[in-house]
Amino acid sequence: MRAKKFVILYAVVLFLVVFAITFNCICSIARFDVTFEVSSMTAEARSIQQRLEEEYGGKSYLFFGQEDVESIVAEEGGNYMEVTGFSKTFPNVIHARVEQKHEVLSLVLGGTYYAIAEDNTILAVRSAEEESGSGNVAVYGFDFPAQQAGETFSVSEEQSDAFSALLAAFQEMDAALGGAAGNVLSITYDDYSDNPVLGANKSSHSFYIEMREGVWVWIINPFEGIEEKIASAMNRYLALNDAERTRGYITAANAEESADYTAETPSFLDRVH
């Protein structure tokens, strides 16, 4: 009787071992189907694909998760790549989507440039020399503490509304110009409390936008109707001829009115970075 129980127990154990081995073979990762949305990081994309196959190919499908992909992506792509999709197809295929983040603005403080992506992630912290040639739109006039690459960029609480207006302005310019960086050189936020340039209009907040050809755009009180003001200013800019774009300034003070162009040298230049 004891021998019979031993045989049954042995058979059960043997069955479980064979089942585990078979199941593990069936559920071993056979393929990584990774879609890369990148422009300048094709070498990093190849490295990610290769490492996934070398380090996890044949490993357990059941215990593989998104964090394993994220770990390799972070090592190979730093802050410039992120996993935006992950799924598994039973029994052995892993699917993932990896996208490249692009620098859109560089916030400047004390000679340090904080390059941020569209989602406000700080992609790089650079000196002026390192920033040279980046092509980013430089932003001046904001106060913020020292921050690190990989963090979400933030400004002082007092300037949070101004920063939100800045992002809205940039998005509007980006859409209007088919890519703002090609035409916009810098943006300066000015919260001067007694700006004599404004004359009868005592609003103390302005954006001074420096276009690459030389003309400036002056957005008065960007907290109200920023999208409309930027759209009006960009329409006026696009209507200028080549000579006009090299001098003067465009003023957008009222969301309901068209922006004006003045050929004279802007009087607010002493307020700019």
Side-chain angles (χ1 to χ4, degrees), residues 30-51:
R31 180 164 60 92
F32 287 94
D33 179 19
V34 185
T35 300
F36 292 96
E37 297 290 339
V38 299
S39 55
S40 61
M41 304 186 74
T42 54
E44 289 81 357
R46 286 194 296 269
S47 295
I48 291 169
Q49 182 74 41
Q50 183 177 348
R51 284 191 57 186

Side-chain angles (χ1 to χ4, degrees), residues 4 21 62-63 81 92 94 124 138 145 181 210 215 220 226-227:
K4 184 177 180 180
I21 294 174
L62 298 177
F63 297 103
M81 302 180 83
N92 55 17
I94 305 297
E210 181 183 10
V215 70
I220 298 174
I226 183 61
E227 289 88 356

Side-chain angles (χ1 to χ4, degrees), residues 29 32 47-60 64 68-69 71-73 75-76:
I29 299 173
F32 287 94
S47 295
I48 291 169
Q49 182 74 41
Q50 183 177 348
R51 284 191 57 186
L52 286 171
E53 293 172 354
E54 291 179 350
E55 297 178 23
Y56 291 100
K59 299 294 181 63
S60 174
F64 185 88
D68 297 309
V69 181
S71 176
I72 292 180
V73 169
E75 291 176 13
E76 295 294 333

Side-chain angles (χ1 to χ4, degrees), residues 192-207:
Y192 190 35
S193 60
D194 186 23
N195 192 335
V197 174
L198 297 178
N201 187 336
K202 294 300 182 181
S203 170
S204 60
H205 305 278
S206 295
F207 284 152

Side-chain angles (χ1 to χ4, degrees), residues 148-168:
Q148 302 296 321
E151 297 178 351
T152 299
F153 182 81
S154 62
V155 299
S156 62
E157 184 176 352
E158 294 79 7
Q159 293 185 330
S160 59
D161 289 342
F163 186 62
S164 296
L166 167 74
L167 298 179

